[in-house]
Amino acid sequence: MIDRYWIAFFASLLCLVGVFDASAGDADPLYRVCVEQCEKTGCIGDRCFPHCRFPSDGASFNRPWYMQEPLYLRWKQWDCQSDCRYDCMVDREKDRAALGHGPVKYHGKWPFKHVYGIQEPVSVALSALNLAMHFHGWLSFFILLYYKLPLKQDKKPYYDYTGLWHIYGLLSMNSWFWSAVFHSRDVDVTEKLDYSSAVALLGYSLILAILRSFTVRDEAARVMVAAPLIAFVTTHILYLNNFKLDYGWNMKVCVVMAVAQLLIWAIWAGVSRHPSRWKLWVVVVGGGLAMLLEIYDFPPYEGFVDAHALWHASTIPLTYIWWSFIEDDAKFRTSNLFKKAK
């Protein structure tokens, strides 16, 4: 839960201090002329694009099947405009490099090199690795509970937060899955799914932080804590998807939830006598240091690795340590509850 909300916290701070600049690349007159000419002719010099035979307004779907774009390409919503923007961007960056100028952003994004139509291949791969790490952690947690630790007579674990961590694991894997999809192709639907899954994980993580740190075991009390937060997060997600994808408001919401759970976990780690509290400190402090990469935003090296990609890389070991803490917590609680049950 530490991994996905750090970015919301620091990114919002960047917005407040004005670190994010307007995209200079798409304001370049030469770039604009290139895109306009390409959209009219379907070509840049001697390079012509198949997508320009298929209008981006969906008219191609009414054509015969042999004139329609293949489904495996259509799902990414690549069209004439996308191809023109990408190739014009590549040409302009070559010209800028020849003049000794550094890369600039186009339409809010750095100029990445595409691989088989994937916009940010390194971020996609690292998002997939994060997903794999969460799956490994969740599977190890499952095996520990049901095959290594003692069970009750009804074959249920003694650990009283089992179900909560299972849900957390599923939400984490879902969030990183849509992160990979979003970095593969940034369109409206993938953006909303990425934002929505991240907000859902963030809200649930806050609930889990409260329940675990305050040792809330009574079901009625858990419902009282979770219900208002679930209602708020659900309303917020519906607002983003059906009314307005308000980036500023979303950042404020994420900051409040992120700061709240960071404070909860930090205070709990400081006052509790948990044998593995040092792992919690490593994840909290390590996540904060890793987010310096988000503050120091730099262009992608060789068109592939930027600061955000490195941040994705840094969350991989932190995820391993985090799930290790969760397993240690299961052992610690099970040991205490098992002794009391005797």
Side-chain angles (χ1 to χ4, degrees), residues 5-14 251 254-255 258-259 262:
Y5 62 70
W6 274 101
I7 185 170
F9 176 65
F10 281 94
S12 60
L13 292 181
L14 292 177
M251 280 295 175
C254 290
V255 166
V259 171
L262 277 176

Side-chain angles (χ1 to χ4, degrees), residues 190-212:
T190 58
E191 182 180 42
K192 288 181 177 179
L193 286 168
D194 181 52
Y195 273 67
S196 299
S197 60
V199 170
L201 174 61
L202 182 58
Y204 182 79
S205 299
L206 176 58
I207 295 172
L208 190 50
I210 295 172
L211 297 182
R212 179 63 191 95

Side-chain angles (χ1 to χ4, degrees), residues 50-67:
H51 283 106
C52 290
R53 294 179 299 174
F54 307 104
S56 57
D57 60 2
S60 63
F61 293 100
N62 297 322
R63 296 184 176 188
W65 65 269
Y66 53 85
M67 288 293 291

Side-chain angles (χ1 to χ4, degrees), residues 51 72-73 75-76 78 83 86-87 89-90 110-125 180-181 183-186 300-305:
H51 283 106
Y72 70 91
L73 292 176
W75 79 271
K76 283 182 172 291
W78 284 114
D83 279 338
Y86 175 70
D87 278 75
M89 176 192 71
V90 171
W110 289 113
F112 286 91
K113 292 181 180 179
H114 295 183
V115 177
Y116 296 109
I118 298 176
Q119 286 183 314
E120 300 175 40
V122 174
S123 290
V124 171
V181 173
H183 287 298
S184 172
R185 182 69 174 103
D186 178 4
Y301 177 73
E302 296 294 333
F304 292 108
V305 181

Side-chain angles (χ1 to χ4, degrees), residues 119-160:
Q119 286 183 314
E120 300 175 40
V122 174
S123 290
V124 171
L126 293 173
S127 293
L129 284 175
N130 273 283
L131 190 157
M133 289 302 300
H134 275 286
F135 176 74
H136 174 270
W138 173 71
L139 184 61
S140 298
F141 175 70
F142 180 87
I143 293 174
L144 173 70
L145 286 176
Y146 291 95
Y147 294 97
K148 296 182 179 180
L149 295 178
L151 299 174
K152 298 179 181 178
Q153 292 183 351
D154 57 2
K155 302 301 180 182
K156 293 182 179 180
Y158 280 94
Y159 188 49
D160 37 6

Side-chain angles (χ1 to χ4, degrees), residues 205-216 225 229 264-265:
S205 299
L206 176 58
I207 295 172
L208 190 50
I210 295 172
L211 297 182
R212 179 63 191 95
S213 59
F214 288 95
T215 318
V216 181
V225 171
L229 289 173
I264 291 171
W265 283 116

